[in-house]
Every structure is written in C-alpha cells, then in structure tokens.
Amino acid sequence: MSSDPAYDACSKAKRQYDSGNIEGAVNTLEDYLKTDPHNCKVRLQLAQHILYGLKDEKYGLMQLDAVMDIDPDYVDGLKAQISYLAENKKNNKETNEKFQRLLELEPTSDIYNTYARFLRNQMIDFPKAQEYYEKAIAMNPNKFEYHQNYAALLLNDIKDYERAKEELEILMELKPGDWKIKDNYNRLLREKFDKNGNVKKSRFAFLKR
C-alpha cells in the first residue's frame, strides 16, 4: 500500500479489470469515491470501466458528466467524452461541440489532427478537415502521420492532385525507404499528370459549370 489511497484504489481496480473482474473494479472505485467524491481521475477511470467493461452507456456517460461538472476544464475527461461519443455518428453534433471546447483548452497539433480526422470521417466536411490538417502540419511540420492523413484527404476527397503530389513528396523525404508511398506517388503521376508534369484536364471539363 502506498500513502496515496486514490492511487491504491485505481491500481487495484485496474488489476481487477485486467483479470476480467469488471464488477469488482467498478465496486472498488465506487467505494473509494464515497470518501473522495470530487476526485476526477478516479471517477474518470470508473466511467471507462463502466462504458467499456460493463457496456452501460447511460451510467458511464453520467459519470463522465459528473467529472466535467466537478472540473469543466478537465481535459482528460473531455477527451474521454469525445472518444466515446465519436464512435457513433448520431452523436456528431455533441461531439463537435465538445471538440470546440477541447480546441480552446488544448490547441495542440495532435488535437488539430484528431479533429481533422473526425471532420473528414464523421462530419464529411472536407474543406474544414483540410483547414485543421494544415494547422496541425504548420505546428509540427515533420510529423509523418499528419502528412499521411492530409495526403489521403487531398487524393480521395478533395481531388487536389497538385497538393497531393507535394504531400507525397514530403512523405518520401520523411520515410525514404517506404515503397508504398513511392508506389502511390508513381501511380498518381501516371494517372493524373501528363508527360509535362501538369495535372491532366478532364475529358468532360467543358461540360462543367
């Protein structure tokens, strides 16, 4: 036993959870919270065990709401809410609102990238996703993951092949030995660019308004 009862309770609950004793883990944390009800860290772990272990959405989200009532600026609690809610598109509006709050509290490159992924995959808002991928890259220009995600958006959704080419070139610089990136780059040049290096014009471009 340590001199920190909250740590002891969390450690015991984790061991119980990992061994499959989910109800025991929940009971351990609930018992501790009777003596320290405003401990956000313990209540957050309780919420996660309930949501992902007991699969009790109503009770689990209630615990997350309680965490945010105790400390509206508790970033880990907000991230936990977003992570769970974002699994279902029916929660898009609420998830987006919580992302706005998170962006105020923690405007980091990782949050920008995560929000961009949500915008692309859940909200289907490609221009907004582009905006936040660019913010992530501006803040951390050498992060491979950001350029990879942005390149996929440009290639598959926005169809900006010139920008996609630039992103693939950056990816090849960051990982020179990655044959898959090189293969995608060569395929892009072959299918979307002419022999002079210009983006091919659509055969039916004259029909567009």
Side-chain angles (χ1 to χ4, degrees):
M1 296 287 287
S2 73
S3 59
D4 185 345
Y7 174 83
D8 291 338
C10 288
S11 297
K12 179 181 177 181
K14 186 178 185 305
R15 291 193 299 271
Q16 290 172 311
Y17 187 90
D18 290 344
S19 68
N21 183 10
I22 298 169
E23 289 188 1
V26 168
N27 290 337
T28 294
L29 296 175
E30 286 179 332
D31 287 343
Y32 174 80
L33 286 168
K34 290 175 184 176
T35 65
D36 185 11
H38 295 101
N39 191 309
C40 289
K41 184 175 180 180
V42 175
R43 195 169 293 279
L44 174 58
Q45 184 174 330
L46 172 63
Q48 291 171 328
H49 289 346
I50 293 168
L51 287 170
Y52 300 106
L54 294 183
K55 309 293 184 184
D56 187 336
E57 179 175 273
K58 184 177 179 180
Y59 185 36
L61 290 178
M62 184 184 78
Q63 293 297 334
L64 287 179
D65 287 342
V67 168
M68 299 312 297
D69 285 341
I70 295 167
D71 184 356
D73 295 338
Y74 190 54
V75 168
D76 287 345
L78 196 52
K79 287 179 179 178
Q81 285 182 320
I82 289 171
S83 179
Y84 185 82
L85 292 171
E87 293 180 0
N88 195 317
K89 287 187 176 182
K90 72 177 184 180
N91 302 318
N92 276 359
K93 185 176 183 295
E94 184 179 1
T95 305
N96 193 48
E97 290 171 354
K98 292 185 182 301
F99 258 120
Q100 298 308 310
R101 178 61 178 152
L102 181 59
L103 289 164
E104 293 175 5
L105 293 171
E106 193 173 291
T108 64
S109 60
D110 278 343
I111 298 300
Y112 287 147
N113 177 67
T114 302
Y115 185 46
R117 290 174 58 193
F118 168 75
L119 289 167
R120 180 194 177 199
N121 299 322
Q122 298 287 89
M123 300 292 285
I124 320 298
D125 188 340
F126 302 141
K128 199 75 172 176
Q130 180 176 10
E131 175 188 340
Y132 278 90
Y133 277 135
E134 290 175 355
K135 285 185 176 184
I137 289 169
M139 192 173 285
N140 192 347
N142 294 319
K143 189 71 174 281
F144 181 86
E145 178 189 352
Y146 301 167
H147 289 284
Q148 186 177 45
N149 291 341
Y150 188 30
L153 175 77
L154 293 169
L155 277 170
N156 301 316
D157 305 311
I158 294 179
K159 314 293 185 184
D160 186 338
Y161 301 120
E162 193 69 55
R163 296 285 295 278
K165 175 175 172 288
E166 294 172 2
E167 285 300 312
L168 288 171
E169 288 170 348
I170 293 171
L171 286 168
M172 287 190 293
E173 289 179 9
L174 293 174
K175 278 193 177 181
D178 194 316
W179 64 268
K180 190 173 182 180
I181 297 170
K182 181 67 174 175
D183 185 59
N184 286 333
Y185 181 74
N186 289 335
R187 181 181 175 186
L188 175 65
L189 293 182
R190 186 171 61 251
E191 295 181 359
K192 301 300 181 181
F193 288 80
D194 61 27
K195 62 182 180 180
N196 296 317
N198 299 313
V199 176
K200 293 178 182 178
K201 293 182 179 179
S202 170
R203 292 171 57 193
F204 303 102
F206 63 91
L207 294 177
K208 296 180 179 178
R209 292 289 186 267

